[in-house]
Amino acid sequence: MLSKAPGPIGIFDSGYGGLTILHGIRQLLPQYDYLYLGDNARTPYGPRSFEIVYEFTLQAVTRLFEMGCHLVILGCNTASAKALRSIQQNDLPKLDAERRVLGIIRPTAEVIGSLTTSRHIGIFATEGTIKSESYKLEIQKLFPDIQVSGVACPFWVPLVEYNEADSPGADYFVKKYIDQLVRQDPDIDTVILGCTHYPLLLPKIHKYIPRGIRIVSQGEYVAESLQNYFERHPEIEQRCSKGGQSHYLTTENPDKFKEQAQLFLREPIEVENVTLG
């Protein structure tokens, strides 16, 4: 039986990248409690099939519900692309119809219409997110006139996780995918970083992106969307506890997670191990 008492806001990611989403949300909404779960033992999700990503994401959502969360945010673009709709439509009614699971693609899609002038935008993301065409579908549902081009960047996540984001070796791979996107559509004036790891590559991205192209990181937009969601759904907001505390869980080694998390949060944290599946 799931608890009815107020609980933390759950943030789930396949690894560390969702920490950039958590950071953005905490900047705007520091009063709430947060429970972050990283499935680091099974990352990356990007190349995995829809079925496996859905299975793993559902396990994580279920665990966060069991730990008291009434609201879970999939702070992972791949999980948002491949699992969110199925969980919302098929699983929530069975698990608990009063709980909610939100993704991070829709909030970014909602703001893009006000950011682009040329109506040509680009997406940098994992292979799984690009193949799913989730961004294109969401954006063109809201703004049918916008042209969307996407490039998969398989080397960007490893560059971040191996702490090579500032290294000279990163320049080649950052420039390579930027050039690829600009060749695809020279009229692009706005680019979405469709993976939560990518903000850590921003210094390199700004170095090689053509002048005049705007870079959109998701953290602030997801935070603003959540604030707006709470205003529209006070019954959900009231079920989120407010103690200003953050706790962290990983399916991998807690010490390793703690060390990597410093890259994203710039603060010391305590981490516990959890098993999924």
Side-chain angles (χ1 to χ4, degrees), residues 23-24 56 67 83 85 92 98 104 124 129 166 174 215 219 232:
H23 177 71
F56 289 177
M67 299 184 82
R85 196 172 299 278
L92 274 183
E98 294 184 349
I104 58 175
F124 290 126
T129 300
D166 297 324
V174 170
I215 306 295
R232 290 182 289 113

Side-chain angles (χ1 to χ4, degrees), residues 120-133:
H120 290 251
I121 70 145
I123 315 283
F124 290 126
T126 64
E127 183 185 353
T129 300
I130 294 296
K131 280 186 175 174
S132 75
E133 294 200 326

Side-chain angles (χ1 to χ4, degrees), residues 1-241:
M1 187 71 182
L2 297 174
S3 170
K4 297 291 183 186
I9 297 168
I11 310 277
F12 169 68
D13 184 44
S14 59
Y16 304 103
L19 293 168
T20 60
I21 299 296
L22 173 61
H23 177 71
I25 293 173
R26 280 173 55 194
Q27 295 288 105
L28 186 65
L29 303 167
Q31 68 271 37
Y32 296 94
D33 294 318
Y34 297 94
L35 182 59
Y36 183 93
L37 169 55
D39 189 13
N40 304 81
R42 302 187 292 195
T43 198
Y45 279 16
R48 293 186 182 274
S49 69
F50 274 72
E51 292 76 17
I52 292 296
V53 171
Y54 163 69
E55 179 188 332
F56 289 177
T57 305
L58 180 59
Q59 289 170 359
V61 167
T62 303
R63 176 56 60 90
L64 287 167
F65 282 171
E66 290 168 352
M67 299 184 82
C69 299
H70 292 265
L71 170 66
V72 173
I73 296 166
L74 304 184
C76 171
N77 285 277
T78 304
S80 295
K82 294 184 174 182
L84 177 63
R85 196 172 299 278
S86 295
I87 290 173
Q88 287 175 332
Q89 293 177 350
N90 304 329
D91 299 295
L92 274 183
K94 292 178 279 188
L95 290 168
D96 185 339
E98 294 184 349
R99 295 184 192 239
R100 295 290 179 269
V101 181
L102 304 176
I104 58 175
I105 292 175
R106 177 85 184 189
T108 315
E110 286 173 343
V111 300
I112 208 70
S114 64
L115 301 179
T116 173
T117 304
S118 71
R119 314 310 275 175
H120 290 251
I121 70 145
I123 315 283
F124 290 126
T126 64
E127 183 185 353
T129 300
I130 294 296
K131 280 186 175 174
S132 75
E133 294 200 326
S134 293
Y135 272 99
K136 186 174 184 176
L137 292 169
E138 285 291 344
I139 289 167
Q140 293 187 333
K141 206 185 294 177
L142 299 166
F143 310 104
D145 62 312
I146 292 181
Q147 299 294 310
V148 182
S149 302
V151 168
C153 309
F155 290 99
W156 283 14
V157 169
L159 283 171
V160 171
E161 295 207 343
Y162 286 102
N163 204 11
E164 294 289 328
D166 297 324
S167 72
D171 288 65
Y172 170 81
F173 291 107
V174 170
K175 185 176 186 301
K176 174 182 178 177
Y177 298 127
I178 289 174
D179 290 347
Q180 199 175 319
L181 184 64
V182 173
R183 277 198 305 271
Q184 222 182 101
D185 184 353
D187 294 325
I188 286 169
D189 71 350
T190 306
V191 173
I192 295 171
L193 300 185
C195 173
T196 50
H197 281 68
Y198 296 175
L200 275 75
L201 287 163
L202 271 171
K204 300 283 190 194
I205 293 169
H206 283 302
K207 183 176 174 183
Y208 294 106
I209 203 86
R211 190 184 300 276
I213 294 182
R214 179 179 195 149
I215 306 295
V216 177
S217 291
Q218 296 174 295
E220 63 176 297
Y221 298 110
V222 172
E224 288 168 7
S225 178
L226 179 59
Q227 186 178 50
N228 178 264
Y229 181 84
F230 281 156
E231 288 167 3
R232 290 182 289 113
H233 297 279
E235 75 283 2
I236 304 294
E237 192 277 337
Q238 287 159 17
R239 295 184 199 131
C240 298
S241 56

